[in-house]
Structure formats: structure tokens, C-alpha cells
Amino acid sequence: MATPRRTRRGRRPGTSDTREAIAEAARRCFAEVGYDRASIRVVADQAGVDPALVMHFFGSKQKLFVSVMSLPFEPEDVLPALVTGRSSQAGARLARFIVGVLEQPQPRTVFTGMVRSAAAEPEVADLVRDVVSSRMIGAIATGLAVADAPLRASLVASQIIGVIMARYVIRIEPLASLTPDALVEALSPNLQRYLTGPLPVVPGPEPAHEAGAL
Amino acid sequence: MATPRRTRRGRRPGTSDTREAIAEAARRCFAEVGYDRASIRVVADQAGVDPALVMHFFGSKQKLFVSVMSLPFEPEDVLPALVTGRSSQAGARLARFIVGVLEQPQPRTVFTGMVRSAAAEPEVADLVRDVVSSRMIGAIATGLAVADAPLRASLVASQIIGVIMARYVIRIEPLASLTPDALVEALSPNLQRYLTGPLPVVPGPEPAHEAGAL
């Protein structure tokens, strides 16, 4: 792999390839060893470039993380349609989409990297919370269009984060070796309940006195 | 706090108090900063003892982790009775027990410490997987006493690990500020489905041709 010298603002052939090679190496490092142990030096080594070039392109480890951990899809474009209308198929559609994303190597490294890094460092947990809350949960809540949509979406997030940890990070069996189709089938009714089933009534501006039926 | 000097095998008053003070400091460190950043030195500082004393009692950081991250209950004594007989109340009983444990500060630090540290370091993920698989999942499977009990128990584990991450580590709202009672109500039917509802048939020694009804 080429090891271009540090450039000064001017564009030249190969710059975007080099940036992408660094981003790809960083994505892999964060996913494999977590935020704390992923160093600029190791990322540079794996990309075959000088560490100074990583700093040139990204500025700091935290900025590198935020930059490369961008979501492999636009939540606002995809998620509302999956859950809209409180359809009885919403859980199955969402499960199929999420498992489909997680079963592809590169998108999976983004999500495992986000979850592992959130567990390692409070500042990164803040970043991940913002992404999950404002984008993922916001998009699901938009599709649901009900008063308790944020609670529903955050419960969905808890199950998906749990699958990422249990299946892909800790690798608990037999969940870890379940086929993707069986995983979709296992998850669908549970996501469906979070999306459209009865939930506890959580006090809002007006105190609620009735609990949702179980 | 007292800073006893290193002892040579002999017991003397205060030794078990000191050991417990170190264990308590270590539990807090692992939960708050994760395995990677928790150092013997910081643990010793927080316990008010010399780092050599930590090594004297525990031998290494990894042994310290395994020792202090012991479960706050005996899974084999508690879990089978909660889920036995495939009762329609098994999900609610299990949710109430788990949320009850997680809402107490010290047991919570054990579980958040385990999950955070599993995310940080592969060797620790192996330890956590062993505890979760052989003890937690084993105990739930014993109570269920059905052929697909390990799959059911590992799905339960995915939801519980997801709640630990989403509510207590990443702190995703509104899940993070849900009352314990509302959390139990939100989780119970989903745990119930994993424990007793229809699941995909996973091929065992004999190939399965029918999928579980959804």
C-alpha cells in the first residue's frame, strides 16, 4: 500500500483512497480491540501510512472515531418505513433489516465498535448515546407516531444492543451460532411487542394513574 | 482508612476487612472505568492501601477481576425456581428478580463491570462468557427442562445484557429513567416469550424440518 507524505491542503491523486484506507483500518481496530486499545499508531501501521498522516486527516483519536463510526445507513431514510402504521409485520421487518446489517462484515464492525467503545469510555458513551438517541430512536419514533414512541424505541434499542453484545462480542452460545434466519424469527415477536404491544404508562406532564394491561 | 503492611500468611485482626476494602474499591473501579483503565495503583489508592498489598491478596489484575466480580447471588439456587414449570408468570418473576438485583448499587456494579469489561478485552469476554454460559444460562435451562432451553436462556441473556448496557452504561432515555416497576412491566412479556413462547427450531443431531409457529 502507498505511504503518501503529508500533504498541505492541496488535492492530489490518491488522497481520498488513503483517507479511506485509514478509515477502514480504524473501523477494524475500534471493533477488534475497542476504543481504549486502538491507538493512532496501530491504525497507521494497519493502513500502511505514517501516524502523522492519520492526525493530518482526522485531528485526534476521538475525531477519528466519530468520523469512521458513521452509520452504514441513514436511519431517517430507512427506519420510519419499517415500523410505520403500527403494522403487525413491523417487528419482523425491523428484525430482518437489523440482522441483515449486522451479518455484513463492515456494518457489523461499525456497530460492534460503537457498543464496545461506549462500554470503555464515558465520553464515547456520550457520543454513542447521541447517535442512538437522536438518530436511531428518533427515526423509529417518527415511524411509530404515538405518544410513547421514544420508550418503545429505547426498548427496541436495548434488545438490539443486547444481541450485538451477546452474539458478536461476548459470543454466548447457542445464540452466537444461530443462523441469521433463525435469529430474525427469534427476535421478531419481541421487537413487535416493543413496537406495538401494551407497555407501562409512564407519567408525562399529566400524571398517569392507569398501568397498561399486561 | 488503615494501610496495613504486607502480611506473611499469618492471620491478624483487620486482614479480612482490608481484603474486603480492596475488593470493594476494585468492584467500583471496574464498573466505573472498565477493565482496561482500572489499574492496581488506582484500586490501591481508592482502598487506601499500598499497591503491593493488592498484589499480595489477589496476585494479578485478571485474578482480582475474577475474584471481585463474583455474582451477588448463586444462580443455581435462585434461577431454576423462577422459571420452572414453564409457568405463565416465569417472565414476570425473572424480570422482577433481575431488575431488583440491578437496582441495588453493589450488585449493579458487578454486572455493569462484567459487561463493560467483556466489551473491552477478549480474555475477559471469555471469562464473562463462561460465567454467563455455564452458570446463568445453565441454571435457567435447568429450570426450563426443555430441549431448546439453552437457546431460550441465551435469548434471555441478550435482553438482560442489553438492558444493562442501554439503561446503566450508555444511559439511553427514556429507558434510563424508567422506574424499576415500569421496567419490570416492560420486560416481563418479552422474557416470557423467550422462556415459553414459540421459537425457531434449530437443527440438532436430527435435522429439523418444521419451523416453530410465529
Side-chain angles (χ1 to χ4, degrees), chain A residues 36-37 116 119-121 129 137 150-151 158-159 162 170-172 174 178 182 185-187 189-190 193-194 200 202 212, chain B residues 36-37 116 119-121 129 137 150 158-159 162 170-172 174 178 182 185-187 189-190 193-194 200 202 212 214:
Chain A
D36 266 6
R37 295 188 176 193
R116 295 188 58 173
E121 203 191 12
R129 182 173 55 241
I137 290 183
L151 174 60
S158 78
Q159 176 61 82
I170 308 181
R171 302 194 57 73
I172 294 170
L178 213 56
E185 199 176 329
L187 292 176
N190 281 36
R193 163 156 185 276
Y194 285 150
V202 176
Chain B
D36 266 7
R37 295 189 175 193
R116 295 189 59 173
E121 202 191 12
R129 182 174 55 243
I137 291 184
S158 79
Q159 176 61 82
I170 308 182
R171 302 193 57 75
I172 295 171
L178 211 56
E185 199 176 330
L187 293 176
N190 282 35
R193 162 150 186 282
Y194 285 150
V202 176
L214 266 183

Side-chain angles (χ1 to χ4, degrees), chain A:
Chain A
M1 190 172 289
T3 51
R5 268 176 248 129
R6 183 165 176 159
T7 60
R8 276 195 309 270
R9 289 170 188 260
R11 288 193 204 153
R12 57 180 189 68
T15 296
S16 72
D17 285 356
T18 305
R19 194 182 194 286
E20 187 41 45
I22 295 170
E24 178 54 37
R27 219 172 267 125
R28 216 165 42 231
C29 284
F30 287 128
E32 286 173 5
V33 302
Y35 184 89
D36 266 6
R37 295 188 176 193
S39 68
I40 295 288
R41 174 170 298 279
V42 170
V43 168
D45 279 357
Q46 294 216 357
V49 303
D50 192 89
L53 199 62
V54 179
M55 295 303 285
H56 169 70
F57 278 124
F58 295 95
S60 71
K61 181 166 141 184
Q62 197 166 342
K63 285 180 185 162
L64 175 64
F65 178 79
V66 174
S67 176
V68 306
M69 291 290 123
S70 58
L71 295 171
F73 57 88
E74 298 297 318
E76 298 78 6
D77 293 348
V78 177
L79 298 179
L82 293 176
V83 301
T84 199
R86 296 171 62 80
S87 148
S88 65
Q89 292 304 304
R93 283 199 299 260
L94 186 58
R96 187 158 298 285
F97 174 75
I98 295 286
V99 171
V101 168
L102 292 175
E103 289 295 314
Q104 296 170 60
Q106 187 178 316
R108 176 164 68 229
T109 62
V110 170
F111 283 100
T112 53
M114 277 175 56
V115 171
R116 295 188 58 173
S117 302
E121 203 191 12
E123 309 95 83
V124 177
D126 293 346
L127 294 171
V128 171
R129 182 173 55 241
D130 288 348
V131 171
V132 173
S133 296
S134 65
R135 301 201 61 198
M136 310 284 278
I137 290 183
I140 291 174
T142 300
L144 289 175
V146 288
D148 60 356
L151 174 60
R152 293 180 181 282
S154 68
L155 287 165
V156 166
S158 78
Q159 176 61 82
I160 293 169
I161 291 168
V163 166
I164 293 170
M165 281 294 294
R167 177 175 166 93
Y168 302 105
V169 176
I170 308 181
R171 302 194 57 73
I172 294 170
E173 293 293 355
L175 181 59
S177 51
L178 213 56
T179 66
D181 282 349
L183 179 61
V184 169
E185 199 176 329
L187 292 176
S188 295
N190 281 36
L191 297 186
Q192 183 71 39
R193 163 156 185 276
Y194 285 150
L195 292 170
T196 65
L199 281 190
V201 175
V202 176
E206 291 286 328
H209 295 290
E210 289 177 302
L214 266 183

Side-chain angles (χ1 to χ4, degrees), chain B residues 4-180:
Chain B
R5 265 175 252 131
R6 183 166 176 158
T7 61
R8 276 194 308 269
R9 287 169 189 262
R11 288 196 205 150
R12 57 181 189 66
T15 296
S16 72
D17 285 357
T18 305
R19 195 183 193 284
E20 187 40 46
I22 295 170
E24 179 54 37
R27 219 172 268 128
R28 215 165 43 231
C29 283
F30 287 127
E32 284 172 6
V33 303
Y35 184 89
D36 266 7
R37 295 189 175 193
S39 68
I40 295 288
R41 173 170 298 278
V42 171
V43 168
D45 279 357
Q46 294 216 358
V49 302
D50 192 88
L53 198 63
V54 179
M55 295 303 284
H56 168 70
F57 277 123
F58 295 96
S60 72
K61 180 166 140 184
Q62 198 167 343
K63 285 180 186 163
L64 175 64
F65 177 80
V66 174
S67 176
V68 305
M69 291 290 125
S70 59
L71 295 171
F73 56 89
E74 298 297 318
E76 298 78 6
D77 293 347
V78 177
L79 298 179
L82 293 175
V83 301
T84 198
R86 297 170 63 79
S87 148
S88 64
Q89 291 304 304
R93 283 198 299 259
L94 186 58
R96 186 158 299 284
F97 174 74
I98 294 286
V99 171
V101 168
L102 292 174
E103 289 294 316
Q104 295 170 60
Q106 184 178 319
R108 175 163 69 231
T109 63
V110 171
F111 283 100
T112 54
M114 278 177 56
V115 171
R116 295 189 59 173
S117 302
E121 202 191 12
E123 308 96 83
V124 177
D126 292 346
L127 294 172
V128 171
R129 182 174 55 243
D130 287 348
V131 171
V132 173
S133 296
S134 67
R135 301 202 61 200
M136 311 285 277
I137 291 184
I140 292 174
T142 300
L144 289 175
V146 289
D148 61 356
L151 174 61
R152 294 180 181 281
S154 68
L155 287 165
V156 165
S158 79
Q159 176 61 82
I160 293 169
I161 291 169
V163 166
I164 292 170
M165 281 294 295
R167 177 173 165 96
Y168 302 105
V169 176
I170 308 182
R171 302 193 57 75
I172 295 171
E173 293 293 353
L175 180 59
S177 50
L178 211 56
T179 65

